Amino acid sequence: MSKGFGTTVGRSSRRRILRLAGGGITMAALGAGLTGCEDELATGGEGSTPPPRGASPEDGKAPADGKAPEPLWTKSTSAQTYGDNDELVAVDGVVIASGDPLAAFDGATGQERWSLPGGAVPGAPLLLGDGTLYLESGKYDGSVAGYVPGSGKEAWRSRLGKEYRQPRPVAVDAKQVYVIAEILEADGSSHTNVIAALNSGTGKVAWKEQRDLGTQQNGIHAAVQGRYLVYTDFKNNLTVRDTATGKQVWTHKTTKTSYGPFAIHQDLVIVPQGQQLQAFALSDGSEKWSVRTEEFTSFREPSLLEDVLYIADSARTLWAVEPGTGKKIWQSTALKDASAQVPRQFVKVGGTLYGATDLDKQGGIHAFDAKTGGLRWTFNDKSGDYHSWLVATDGKRVYALHGKKLHALPA
């Protein structure tokens, strides 16, 4: 199963460090430690977002008073998330958030359907492929496991080998699970890592390739498109490998903002790089189009939904772009007009685009008109929790995770 967005692996990304800092350290106290990470911080405004109340709207539209809908249900969870898009999934009638124990809730009622102690490493990606949920084992036993999402029953398990430490899934397609693992030295230390493919039917190793010295196994965002495995990392690399052999097709050095999620459309990989949004050919890395935003403004993370690329910038402008050409469909200043926070993750249901923001103030889950970018409403649980918001949908409901609180909103 191809994914049109990057997934994150590792528990020490720059965004995650900022999340944890929010729990008990003021941003001012971090001082110079945030140098070079300013583009990761969403801009927000003063004031407060209206509390969720009023009748539940149809198709994401606000009630007459313009307030957000009330949740259909709210549950406390064991979620332990770090703000990455793949830590919350909705599939097979359940919604699952990364945590320990890993728990699945009925999408319609919020009742717990199953729970799996030690099922996953908190903050690790929840990867879906061919009806299976793939996880890095929370037992730290060197295995990768696959489960039936609706029941939590184990369906597959594989090990890369004793000479490797804690293989971490980074992407999945219909045939293979792609992992990155540390290569162990005789003294138990590790200075290098390997990228490998595991057969999703047999669990056998299809191929493995040692990555360059100095690369890291943390902070990887990856996706698969046909014969190409695409990933970015903290070393400012954008790399494409052949899924059949693991051989590197090409790699580019990118700017400091390229370690976040990217988008894939047909034969293109689309990467935000500060003021630029660039599309490269998967086959050879040649640039196919480029879009620039305002000076001193940075693009955030993109989402490709129903063949439209949605992306916000730090000036609080929301863009809809044709992914094949880079042509602008529309731009909206509704966020700026409302002094609302910039979203960094999107899902779409019908004519409504839902965006989840980073830190809490003037943020939460925004609902936009997908045809114009107009802001319809913002849902915020007013908890003040420092965790980022995450959003997922099953097409019937929109699920919003904030810290340990999971809300189901009408779609």
Side-chain angles (χ1 to χ4, degrees):
M1 183 180 87
S2 298
K3 298 186 72 174
F5 51 88
T7 58
T8 308
V9 171
R11 301 181 60 187
S12 58
S13 76
R14 300 182 192 188
R15 181 185 300 118
R16 289 173 175 173
I17 292 170
L18 293 176
R19 304 288 184 279
L20 297 175
I25 308 174
T26 65
M27 302 305 281
L30 290 176
L34 294 183
T35 301
C37 299
E38 64 276 3
D39 55 323
E40 283 291 290
L41 297 175
T43 56
E46 294 302 316
S48 59
T49 303
R53 60 185 176 88
S56 295
E58 295 182 1
D59 193 27
K61 295 181 181 179
D65 61 2
K67 307 301 182 184
E70 292 183 359
L72 301 170
W73 52 260
T74 296
K75 292 289 181 180
S76 294
T77 74
S78 59
Q80 299 178 43
T81 62
Y82 294 84
D84 287 308
N85 297 357
D86 44 27
E87 296 174 311
L88 180 71
V89 296
V91 60
D92 290 353
V94 298
V95 55
I96 308 168
S98 179
D100 188 10
L102 189 70
F105 295 88
D106 186 283
T109 67
Q111 297 300 308
E112 185 177 294
R113 289 262 289 268
W114 54 263
S115 179
L116 191 64
V121 174
L126 308 176
L127 298 182
L128 295 168
D130 199 26
T132 303
L133 175 67
Y134 292 98
L135 305 171
E136 176 185 358
S137 175
K139 298 179 181 178
Y140 300 95
D141 57 2
S143 67
V144 179
Y147 298 88
V148 178
S151 66
K153 293 182 179 180
E154 184 175 315
W156 178 89
R157 187 171 290 270
S158 178
R159 286 177 172 82
L160 185 59
K162 293 183 179 180
E163 65 270 35
Y164 304 102
R165 180 162 51 201
Q166 199 59 19
R168 301 172 177 180
V170 295
V172 61
D173 59 22
K175 296 181 179 179
Q176 297 179 148
V177 181
Y178 303 90
V179 302
I180 287 183
E182 297 176 345
I183 301 174
L184 291 175
E185 305 292 339
D187 61 359
S189 65
S190 177
H191 309 289
T192 54
N193 61 86
V194 66
I195 187 165
L198 305 174
N199 186 289
S200 57
T202 66
K204 293 182 179 179
V205 178
W207 52 258
K208 54 187 175 183
E209 292 285 330
Q210 182 171 331
R211 298 178 69 214
D212 293 341
L213 185 67
T215 57
Q216 301 175 2
Q217 68 276 6
N218 293 328
I220 303 293
H221 288 75
V224 183
Q225 179 79 329
R227 56 172 290 202
Y228 301 111
L229 170 65
V230 188
Y231 58 92
T232 56
D233 60 34
F234 277 169
K235 294 293 185 178
N236 298 332
N237 298 306
L238 171 63
T239 303
V240 174
R241 291 182 180 271
D242 189 300
T243 57
T245 65
K247 298 301 181 183
Q248 184 170 291
V249 179
W250 57 266
T251 187
H252 281 342
K253 280 293 182 183
T254 56
T255 66
K256 66 179 181 179
T257 57
S258 65
Y259 47 75
F262 52 85
I264 289 181
H265 174 71
Q266 296 178 357
D267 59 350
L268 299 177
V269 54
I270 305 167
V271 185
Q273 300 191 76
Q275 191 180 352
Q276 273 194 314
L277 182 66
Q278 290 178 286
F280 301 99
L282 287 173
S283 59
D284 59 12
S286 59
E287 183 180 303
K288 295 301 181 182
W289 57 259
S290 177
V291 173
R292 296 183 72 87
T293 186
E294 299 175 6
E295 191 176 4
F296 309 118
T297 299
S298 296
F299 279 111
R300 302 299 303 278
E301 298 92 328
S303 293
L304 183 62
L305 304 168
E306 300 178 3
D307 290 330
V308 177
L309 185 77
Y310 299 98
I311 191 168
D313 63 35
S314 58
R316 304 186 204 177
T317 300
L318 183 62
W319 301 59
V321 175
E322 290 183 358
T325 64
K327 182 179 178 181
K328 180 178 64 179
I329 301 173
W330 51 254
Q331 279 182 300
S332 170
T333 60
L335 289 168
K336 184 186 300 184
D337 297 341
S339 297
Q341 197 171 358
V342 175
R344 38 152 295 275
Q345 179 194 12
F346 298 94
V347 298
K348 185 175 180 287
V349 183
T352 302
L353 179 70
Y354 300 89
T357 70
D358 249 340
L359 304 177
D360 190 46
K361 193 152 189 183
Q362 282 296 83
I365 303 297
H366 298 313
F368 303 94
D369 185 322
K371 292 183 178 180
T372 66
L375 181 61
R376 290 175 171 170
W377 48 259
T378 298
F379 171 79
N380 192 307
D381 59 12
K382 312 308 292 181
S383 69
D385 191 292
Y386 65 90
H387 284 87
S388 293
W389 287 83
L390 295 176
V391 65
T393 185
D394 57 8
K396 299 177 182 178
R397 290 160 292 271
V398 173
Y399 303 100
L401 181 68
H402 190 211
K404 294 186 178 296
K405 293 293 185 181
L406 179 63
H407 311 276
L409 304 174

